[in-house]
Amino acid sequence: MFLDAVLARNPRLVRCAADLHRSGAVPPDTYVLDLDAVRANAALLAAGADRLGLALWFVVKQVGRNPELVRAIAGHIPRFAAIDAPEARVLHAAGARPGNLGHLVQVPHRALPGMLAWRPEAVTVYDLANARAVSEAAVRLGVVQDVLVRIEGAAGAVHPGQEGGVPLGGLEAFAAGVERLPGVRIAGVTAFPCLACAPGSGRVAPTPNLRLAGEARRLLAARSGGDPSRLVLSAPGVTCLASLPLLARLGATHGEPGHALTGTTPLHAAGPPQPERPAYVYVTEVAHTLADGSPALFGGGFYPRGGVRSALIPRTGARLAVREAPAGNIDYYRLLEPGDARAGDTAVLAFRTQMFVTRSTVAVVAGLADGAPELTGLYDPWGRPVAGPHG
């Protein structure tokens, strides 16, 4: 999905990843990340948002909650949106500041006291029970916590496994209930996804969820006679330099860049080159060859929605097509079409991923921008340091 883009715009990363694997510095099933490119992408996003008067909360689940990357990003985008409590703890420990907690996964009730003590800018709540739990924890801490109302998405516009939120028709009753709670204040609304890019279209467009979130903000403002623009509207989904003007035009106050930090949004896979540079590749190895000549790669990192299409075999320069594989099966191996590859060969691929749901190693490389790459660390998919392949 992204192999052509990374070969054209970050060929040093491809060569470095292949060299690291050939030398034995990284094992098969490793994502290699370009720290310099991630830092530069964060700087571009921060400057673009600042020009438009937008605020950003960064997301790092897709790069394995990696502490080196967190620190590089936080130098330009200080606050994060954590999808769940384990991620929030990694980000906080790495020195980033909490922006939005609970935006995809609600904060577990027993985790609230510790996380509210960090003084996040906002906590997203899906219903009155969670708002009440936030209020009770905040009261015990002697604070009033700003909350964002997660608006229930439109039919067909919510990813499976991400259901929930306050229906627009129930917002008045929800707001009335929250207003009776002493430890919370409604600061705005959010929904997901608010922007989307149809595969191959090269164009970002608002989803019906953004319209619902905007209407919810107007209803909440009308309760107090205030200006809707004074309430937060965080509109995550394909947040990148190309989509920031659209967010600003549609009234959003916050974006939540994730894949833009590595140059791997759907926009980066189609259409003209985007400002953000591709910043990771996946490196693995040919494990064996089937009787029909099909090479089998070591798996572990083949995210089912990654859109992987081809693999580069650096030893021969061959580009071999990746065969389709059922999402319901474990990716012990991934088959290529027959071609010039043999057992032990390095293979480099690039596709959209969520590293935190893989069993891959995550390698961080610094110095590529200066032509002096250095492997600075190996991590598991949750950001914990691991020993090298021979350690």
Side-chain angles (χ1 to χ4, degrees):
M1 186 174 183
F2 293 103
L3 189 53
D4 288 334
V6 74
L7 283 168
R9 301 200 55 213
N10 200 348
R12 287 178 175 175
L13 174 59
V14 177
R15 291 193 295 270
C16 177
D19 289 345
L20 287 171
H21 175 257
R22 276 195 298 260
S23 71
V26 303
D29 180 26
T30 294
Y31 285 98
V32 181
L33 286 127
D34 180 347
L35 184 66
D36 301 344
V38 171
R39 183 183 289 110
N41 289 341
L44 284 172
L45 287 158
D50 188 60
R51 286 192 297 270
L52 294 164
L54 291 168
L56 297 178
W57 291 320
F58 73 87
V59 179
V60 293
K61 62 187 174 68
Q62 68 285 347
V63 292
R65 303 169 174 176
N66 190 280
E68 287 192 64
L69 301 176
V70 169
R71 288 188 288 270
I73 295 163
H76 299 281
I77 305 171
R79 291 190 179 270
F80 63 80
I83 65 150
D84 58 20
E87 179 167 292
R89 294 186 184 103
V90 172
L91 289 160
H92 183 257
R97 295 160 61 192
N100 183 13
L101 304 181
H103 83 147
L104 284 185
V105 179
Q106 290 289 269
V107 179
H109 289 194
R110 292 163 187 83
L112 281 167
M115 294 172 70
L116 293 190
W118 305 340
R119 299 310 310 272
E121 285 189 307
V123 175
T124 293
V125 293
Y126 282 46
D127 56 20
L128 193 55
N130 278 283
R132 187 176 296 112
V134 174
S135 176
E136 290 170 357
V139 167
R140 287 195 293 272
L141 291 169
V143 300
V144 175
Q145 175 63 55
D146 281 352
V147 296
L148 300 184
V149 184
R150 165 68 176 250
I151 302 302
E152 183 181 61
V158 177
H159 301 308
Q162 298 180 17
E163 301 87 356
V166 178
L168 192 63
L171 184 60
E172 291 281 355
F174 172 85
V178 172
E179 287 163 2
R180 292 192 290 269
L181 300 175
V184 292
R185 182 185 76 92
I186 295 177
V189 299
T190 188
F192 186 80
C194 289
L195 299 182
C197 179
S201 71
R203 186 176 67 88
V204 177
T207 72
N209 300 335
L210 183 53
R211 178 188 59 79
L212 289 173
E215 179 61 24
R217 182 166 68 162
R218 287 187 287 274
L219 290 172
L220 289 172
R223 290 181 61 83
S224 61
D227 181 351
S229 66
R230 297 181 68 86
L231 290 173
V232 169
L233 171 51
S234 186
V238 201
T239 305
C240 58
L241 275 167
S243 67
L244 291 181
L246 178 61
L247 286 180
R249 188 165 69 251
L250 295 175
T253 61
H254 290 66
E256 299 183 13
H259 274 283
L261 295 162
T262 49
T264 50
T265 77
L267 276 184
H268 293 79
Q274 298 297 312
E276 301 94 343
R277 292 181 68 210
Y280 69 74
V281 293
Y282 181 67
V283 63
T284 189
E285 180 179 318
V286 178
H288 58 275
T289 303
L290 273 59
D292 67 357
S294 301
L297 302 180
F298 287 110
F302 287 99
Y303 178 60
R305 294 172 55 214
V308 61
R309 297 195 179 100
S310 67
L312 170 68
I313 309 298
R315 181 183 64 82
T316 64
R319 285 279 294 272
L320 305 183
V322 179
R323 288 186 179 172
E324 297 264 345
N329 288 49
I330 298 171
D331 64 329
Y332 295 113
Y333 301 104
R334 192 67 185 265
L335 296 179
L336 306 180
E337 294 296 340
D340 194 357
R342 65 192 183 202
D345 273 349
T346 299
V348 179
L349 306 92
F351 48 90
R352 185 175 171 88
T353 188
Q354 298 286 341
M355 296 176 201
F356 82 113
V357 300
T358 72
R359 57 186 188 275
S360 305
T361 301
V362 178
V364 179
V365 175
L368 273 171
D370 300 322
E374 175 191 3
L375 178 63
T376 59
L378 293 175
Y379 301 85
D380 70 14
W382 305 285
R384 298 174 299 200
V386 297
H390 310 296

mmCIF file of all heavy atoms in Angstrom, residues 151-187:
data_model
loop_
_atom_site.group_PDB
_atom_site.id
_atom_site.type_symbol
_atom_site.label_atom_id
_atom_site.label_comp_id
_atom_site.label_asym_id
_atom_site.label_seq_id
_atom_site.Cartn_x
_atom_site.Cartn_y
_atom_site.Cartn_z
ATOM 1 N N ILE A 151 -20.533 11.640 21.042
ATOM 2 C CA ILE A 151 -21.831 11.564 20.379
ATOM 3 C C ILE A 151 -21.946 10.244 19.631
ATOM 4 O O ILE A 151 -21.024 9.856 18.901
ATOM 5 C CB ILE A 151 -22.019 12.759 19.417
ATOM 6 C CG1 ILE A 151 -21.905 14.079 20.176
ATOM 7 C CG2 ILE A 151 -23.364 12.666 18.701
ATOM 8 C CD1 ILE A 151 -22.877 14.251 21.318
ATOM 9 N N GLU A 152 -23.050 9.565 19.813
ATOM 10 C CA GLU A 152 -23.276 8.313 19.102
ATOM 11 C C GLU A 152 -23.228 8.556 17.598
ATOM 12 O O GLU A 152 -23.848 9.480 17.083
ATOM 13 C CB GLU A 152 -24.632 7.729 19.491
ATOM 14 C CG GLU A 152 -24.916 6.380 18.859
ATOM 15 C CD GLU A 152 -26.287 5.860 19.265
ATOM 16 O OE1 GLU A 152 -27.288 6.539 18.955
ATOM 17 O OE2 GLU A 152 -26.340 4.795 19.901
ATOM 18 N N GLY A 153 -22.459 7.712 16.902
ATOM 19 C CA GLY A 153 -22.272 7.897 15.473
ATOM 20 C C GLY A 153 -23.502 7.541 14.658
ATOM 21 O O GLY A 153 -24.433 6.878 15.131
ATOM 22 N N ALA A 154 -23.496 7.999 13.418
ATOM 23 C CA ALA A 154 -24.586 7.696 12.499
ATOM 24 C C ALA A 154 -24.538 6.222 12.093
ATOM 25 O O ALA A 154 -23.472 5.594 12.089
ATOM 26 C CB ALA A 154 -24.480 8.588 11.265
ATOM 27 N N ALA A 155 -25.677 5.679 11.741
ATOM 28 C CA ALA A 155 -25.748 4.282 11.301
ATOM 29 C C ALA A 155 -24.823 4.073 10.103
ATOM 30 O O ALA A 155 -24.842 4.842 9.138
ATOM 31 C CB ALA A 155 -27.185 3.934 10.927
ATOM 32 N N GLY A 156 -23.987 3.038 10.201
ATOM 33 C CA GLY A 156 -23.067 2.729 9.117
ATOM 34 C C GLY A 156 -21.802 3.556 9.103
ATOM 35 O O GLY A 156 -20.940 3.353 8.242
ATOM 36 N N ALA A 157 -21.661 4.493 10.043
ATOM 37 C CA ALA A 157 -20.484 5.372 10.062
ATOM 38 C C ALA A 157 -19.617 5.150 11.288
ATOM 39 O O ALA A 157 -18.806 6.005 11.636
ATOM 40 C CB ALA A 157 -20.920 6.834 9.982
ATOM 41 N N VAL A 158 -19.789 4.001 11.959
ATOM 42 C CA VAL A 158 -19.005 3.669 13.154
ATOM 43 C C VAL A 158 -18.326 2.329 12.911
ATOM 44 O O VAL A 158 -18.953 1.384 12.435
ATOM 45 C CB VAL A 158 -19.897 3.589 14.408
ATOM 46 C CG1 VAL A 158 -19.086 3.163 15.622
ATOM 47 C CG2 VAL A 158 -20.569 4.930 14.662
ATOM 48 N N HIS A 159 -17.026 2.250 13.246
ATOM 49 C CA HIS A 159 -16.309 0.991 13.082
ATOM 50 C C HIS A 159 -16.792 -0.029 14.108
ATOM 51 O O HIS A 159 -17.031 0.320 15.273
ATOM 52 C CB HIS A 159 -14.809 1.208 13.268
ATOM 53 C CG HIS A 159 -14.207 2.185 12.307
ATOM 54 N ND1 HIS A 159 -14.380 2.090 10.944
ATOM 55 C CD2 HIS A 159 -13.425 3.286 12.505
ATOM 56 C CE1 HIS A 159 -13.737 3.070 10.351
ATOM 57 N NE2 HIS A 159 -13.158 3.818 11.275
ATOM 58 N N PRO A 160 -16.942 -1.294 13.714
ATOM 59 C CA PRO A 160 -17.317 -2.325 14.689
ATOM 60 C C PRO A 160 -16.326 -2.365 15.843
ATOM 61 O O PRO A 160 -15.120 -2.202 15.662
ATOM 62 C CB PRO A 160 -17.249 -3.618 13.855
ATOM 63 C CG PRO A 160 -17.459 -3.172 12.442
ATOM 64 C CD PRO A 160 -16.809 -1.825 12.346
ATOM 65 N N GLY A 161 -16.853 -2.572 17.040
ATOM 66 C CA GLY A 161 -16.017 -2.571 18.227
ATOM 67 C C GLY A 161 -15.819 -1.198 18.828
ATOM 68 O O GLY A 161 -15.132 -1.050 19.839
ATOM 69 N N GLN A 162 -16.402 -0.166 18.206
ATOM 70 C CA GLN A 162 -16.274 1.204 18.714
ATOM 71 C C GLN A 162 -17.647 1.830 18.969
ATOM 72 O O GLN A 162 -17.808 3.047 18.958
ATOM 73 C CB GLN A 162 -15.470 2.055 17.734
ATOM 74 C CG GLN A 162 -14.055 1.554 17.540
ATOM 75 C CD GLN A 162 -13.251 2.402 16.573
ATOM 76 O OE1 GLN A 162 -13.604 3.528 16.275
ATOM 77 N NE2 GLN A 162 -12.148 1.854 16.083
ATOM 78 N N GLU A 163 -18.631 0.991 19.222
ATOM 79 C CA GLU A 163 -19.991 1.483 19.416
ATOM 80 C C GLU A 163 -20.122 2.222 20.739
ATOM 81 O O GLU A 163 -19.391 1.949 21.691
ATOM 82 C CB GLU A 163 -20.988 0.313 19.385
ATOM 83 C CG GLU A 163 -20.981 -0.478 18.084
ATOM 84 C CD GLU A 163 -19.954 -1.594 18.034
ATOM 85 O OE1 GLU A 163 -19.163 -1.725 18.996
ATOM 86 O OE2 GLU A 163 -19.933 -2.331 17.036
ATOM 87 N N GLY A 164 -21.086 3.131 20.790
ATOM 88 C CA GLY A 164 -21.385 3.817 22.036
ATOM 89 C C GLY A 164 -21.424 5.313 21.865
ATOM 90 O O GLY A 164 -21.086 5.867 20.819
ATOM 91 N N GLY A 165 -21.859 5.972 22.928
ATOM 92 C CA GLY A 165 -21.974 7.418 22.899
ATOM 93 C C GLY A 165 -23.394 7.862 23.207
ATOM 94 O O GLY A 165 -24.329 7.063 23.311
ATOM 95 N N VAL A 166 -23.560 9.169 23.364
ATOM 96 C CA VAL A 166 -24.856 9.749 23.685
ATOM 97 C C VAL A 166 -25.603 10.029 22.390
ATOM 98 O O VAL A 166 -25.112 10.777 21.541
ATOM 99 C CB VAL A 166 -24.680 11.057 24.491
ATOM 100 C CG1 VAL A 166 -26.035 11.694 24.782
ATOM 101 C CG2 VAL A 166 -23.925 10.787 25.791
ATOM 102 N N PRO A 167 -26.787 9.458 22.201
ATOM 103 C CA PRO A 167 -27.571 9.771 20.998
ATOM 104 C C PRO A 167 -27.944 11.244 20.995
ATOM 105 O O PRO A 167 -28.193 11.845 22.051
ATOM 106 C CB PRO A 167 -28.810 8.884 21.125
ATOM 107 C CG PRO A 167 -28.503 7.901 22.195
ATOM 108 C CD PRO A 167 -27.491 8.516 23.091
ATOM 109 N N LEU A 168 -28.003 11.826 19.816
ATOM 110 C CA LEU A 168 -28.351 13.240 19.729
ATOM 111 C C LEU A 168 -29.705 13.510 20.386
ATOM 112 O O LEU A 168 -29.877 14.521 21.086
ATOM 113 C CB LEU A 168 -28.367 13.685 18.262
ATOM 114 C CG LEU A 168 -28.431 15.188 18.020
ATOM 115 C CD1 LEU A 168 -27.191 15.884 18.567
ATOM 116 C CD2 LEU A 168 -28.569 15.478 16.520
ATOM 117 N N GLY A 169 -30.639 12.588 20.218
ATOM 118 C CA GLY A 169 -31.957 12.770 20.809
ATOM 119 C C GLY A 169 -31.965 12.690 22.323
ATOM 120 O O GLY A 169 -32.924 13.133 22.967
ATOM 121 N N GLY A 170 -30.929 12.125 22.917
ATOM 122 C CA GLY A 170 -30.858 12.028 24.372
ATOM 123 C C GLY A 170 -29.901 13.028 24.996
ATOM 124 O O GLY A 170 -29.629 12.958 26.200
ATOM 125 N N LEU A 171 -29.399 13.962 24.169
ATOM 126 C CA LEU A 171 -28.374 14.871 24.671
ATOM 127 C C LEU A 171 -28.905 15.812 25.744
ATOM 128 O O LEU A 171 -28.207 16.098 26.731
ATOM 129 C CB LEU A 171 -27.787 15.675 23.505
ATOM 130 C CG LEU A 171 -26.632 16.608 23.845
ATOM 131 C CD1 LEU A 171 -25.453 15.838 24.423
ATOM 132 C CD2 LEU A 171 -26.193 17.397 22.603
ATOM 133 N N GLU A 172 -30.128 16.308 25.589
ATOM 134 C CA GLU A 172 -30.680 17.238 26.577
ATOM 135 C C GLU A 172 -30.772 16.578 27.954
ATOM 136 O O GLU A 172 -30.371 17.165 28.971
ATOM 137 C CB GLU A 172 -32.063 17.732 26.132
ATOM 138 C CG GLU A 172 -32.049 18.644 24.910
ATOM 139 C CD GLU A 172 -31.639 20.068 25.265
ATOM 140 O OE1 GLU A 172 -31.456 20.369 26.465
ATOM 141 O OE2 GLU A 172 -31.495 20.882 24.333
ATOM 142 N N ALA A 173 -31.279 15.357 27.993
ATOM 143 C CA ALA A 173 -31.400 14.654 29.269
ATOM 144 C C ALA A 173 -30.021 14.348 29.851
ATOM 145 O O ALA A 173 -29.796 14.469 31.062
ATOM 146 C CB ALA A 173 -32.195 13.364 29.083
ATOM 147 N N PHE A 174 -29.094 13.960 28.988
ATOM 148 C CA PHE A 174 -27.729 13.692 29.446
ATOM 149 C C PHE A 174 -27.108 14.953 30.050
ATOM 150 O O PHE A 174 -26.542 14.920 31.144
ATOM 151 C CB PHE A 174 -26.880 13.199 28.280
ATOM 152 C CG PHE A 174 -25.415 13.085 28.595
ATOM 153 C CD1 PHE A 174 -24.905 11.946 29.199
ATOM 154 C CD2 PHE A 174 -24.542 14.127 28.293
ATOM 155 C CE1 PHE A 174 -23.563 11.848 29.501
ATOM 156 C CE2 PHE A 174 -23.199 14.032 28.588
ATOM 157 C CZ PHE A 174 -22.706 12.893 29.193
ATOM 158 N N ALA A 175 -27.223 16.071 29.342
ATOM 159 C CA ALA A 175 -26.630 17.323 29.825
ATOM 160 C C ALA A 175 -27.249 17.736 31.155
ATOM 161 O O ALA A 175 -26.538 18.197 32.071
ATOM 162 C CB ALA A 175 -26.806 18.423 28.783
ATOM 163 N N ALA A 176 -28.560 17.569 31.279
ATOM 164 C CA ALA A 176 -29.215 17.923 32.540
ATOM 165 C C ALA A 176 -28.674 17.079 33.686
ATOM 166 O O ALA A 176 -28.473 17.572 34.810
ATOM 167 C CB ALA A 176 -30.723 17.748 32.408
ATOM 168 N N GLY A 177 -28.419 15.792 33.407
ATOM 169 C CA GLY A 177 -27.867 14.931 34.442
ATOM 170 C C GLY A 177 -26.453 15.328 34.827
ATOM 171 O O GLY A 177 -26.094 15.353 36.008
ATOM 172 N N VAL A 178 -25.633 15.660 33.846
ATOM 173 C CA VAL A 178 -24.245 16.050 34.119
ATOM 174 C C VAL A 178 -24.193 17.359 34.897
ATOM 175 O O VAL A 178 -23.344 17.547 35.775
ATOM 176 C CB VAL A 178 -23.445 16.154 32.806
ATOM 177 C CG1 VAL A 178 -22.057 16.752 33.062
ATOM 178 C CG2 VAL A 178 -23.304 14.783 32.151
ATOM 179 N N GLU A 179 -25.108 18.271 34.586
ATOM 180 C CA GLU A 179 -25.101 19.573 35.273
ATOM 181 C C GLU A 179 -25.371 19.442 36.768
ATOM 182 O O GLU A 179 -25.057 20.362 37.535
ATOM 183 C CB GLU A 179 -26.128 20.496 34.614
ATOM 184 C CG GLU A 179 -25.672 20.983 33.237
ATOM 185 C CD GLU A 179 -26.806 21.535 32.394
ATOM 186 O OE1 GLU A 179 -27.966 21.583 32.899
ATOM 187 O OE2 GLU A 179 -26.571 21.883 31.228
ATOM 188 N N ARG A 180 -25.907 18.313 37.203
ATOM 189 C CA ARG A 180 -26.142 18.086 38.633
ATOM 190 C C ARG A 180 -24.943 17.441 39.326
ATOM 191 O O ARG A 180 -24.966 17.238 40.537
ATOM 192 C CB ARG A 180 -27.382 17.206 38.813
ATOM 193 C CG ARG A 180 -28.691 17.898 38.410
ATOM 194 C CD ARG A 180 -29.902 17.101 38.865
ATOM 195 N NE ARG A 180 -30.061 15.867 38.119
ATOM 196 C CZ ARG A 180 -30.785 15.746 37.010
ATOM 197 N NH1 ARG A 180 -31.409 16.813 36.501
ATOM 198 N NH2 ARG A 180 -30.890 14.584 36.389
ATOM 199 N N LEU A 181 -23.911 17.115 38.546
ATOM 200 C CA LEU A 181 -22.727 16.463 39.113
ATOM 201 C C LEU A 181 -21.700 17.528 39.487
ATOM 202 O O LEU A 181 -21.347 18.374 38.669
ATOM 203 C CB LEU A 181 -22.118 15.485 38.103
ATOM 204 C CG LEU A 181 -23.035 14.346 37.638
ATOM 205 C CD1 LEU A 181 -22.360 13.526 36.544
ATOM 206 C CD2 LEU A 181 -23.405 13.442 38.810
ATOM 207 N N PRO A 182 -21.164 17.492 40.711
ATOM 208 C CA PRO A 182 -20.294 18.585 41.170
ATOM 209 C C PRO A 182 -18.872 18.542 40.635
ATOM 210 O O PRO A 182 -18.166 19.548 40.684
ATOM 211 C CB PRO A 182 -20.296 18.407 42.688
ATOM 212 C CG PRO A 182 -20.523 16.938 42.893
ATOM 213 C CD PRO A 182 -21.465 16.526 41.795
ATOM 214 N N GLY A 183 -18.431 17.392 40.113
ATOM 215 C CA GLY A 183 -17.018 17.269 39.777
ATOM 216 C C GLY A 183 -16.680 17.358 38.305
ATOM 217 O O GLY A 183 -15.509 17.171 37.934
ATOM 218 N N VAL A 184 -17.677 17.632 37.464
ATOM 219 C CA VAL A 184 -17.418 17.684 36.025
ATOM 220 C C VAL A 184 -18.107 18.887 35.393
ATOM 221 O O VAL A 184 -19.078 19.428 35.931
ATOM 222 C CB VAL A 184 -17.889 16.399 35.301
ATOM 223 C CG1 VAL A 184 -17.049 15.212 35.701
ATOM 224 C CG2 VAL A 184 -19.360 16.133 35.555
ATOM 225 N N ARG A 185 -17.574 19.282 34.253
ATOM 226 C CA ARG A 185 -18.141 20.363 33.459
ATOM 227 C C ARG A 185 -18.080 19.956 32.001
ATOM 228 O O ARG A 185 -17.029 19.522 31.512
ATOM 229 C CB ARG A 185 -17.342 21.652 33.662
ATOM 230 C CG ARG A 185 -17.886 22.865 32.914
ATOM 231 C CD ARG A 185 -16.964 24.064 33.072
ATOM 232 N NE ARG A 185 -15.775 23.942 32.244
ATOM 233 C CZ ARG A 185 -15.665 24.430 31.000
ATOM 234 N NH1 ARG A 185 -16.685 25.070 30.451
ATOM 235 N NH2 ARG A 185 -14.550 24.285 30.319
ATOM 236 N N ILE A 186 -19.187 20.071 31.281
ATOM 237 C CA ILE A 186 -19.178 19.744 29.858
ATOM 238 C C ILE A 186 -18.403 20.829 29.107
ATOM 239 O O ILE A 186 -18.791 21.997 29.101
ATOM 240 C CB ILE A 186 -20.600 19.613 29.294
ATOM 241 C CG1 ILE A 186 -21.318 18.418 29.931
ATOM 242 C CG2 ILE A 186 -20.553 19.439 27.775
ATOM 243 C CD1 ILE A 186 -22.758 18.247 29.489
ATOM 244 N N ALA A 187 -17.302 20.417 28.486
ATOM 245 C CA ALA A 187 -16.444 21.367 27.769
ATOM 246 C C ALA A 187 -16.601 21.281 26.271
ATOM 247 O O ALA A 187 -16.099 22.144 25.544
ATOM 248 C CB ALA A 187 -14.979 21.126 28.133
#
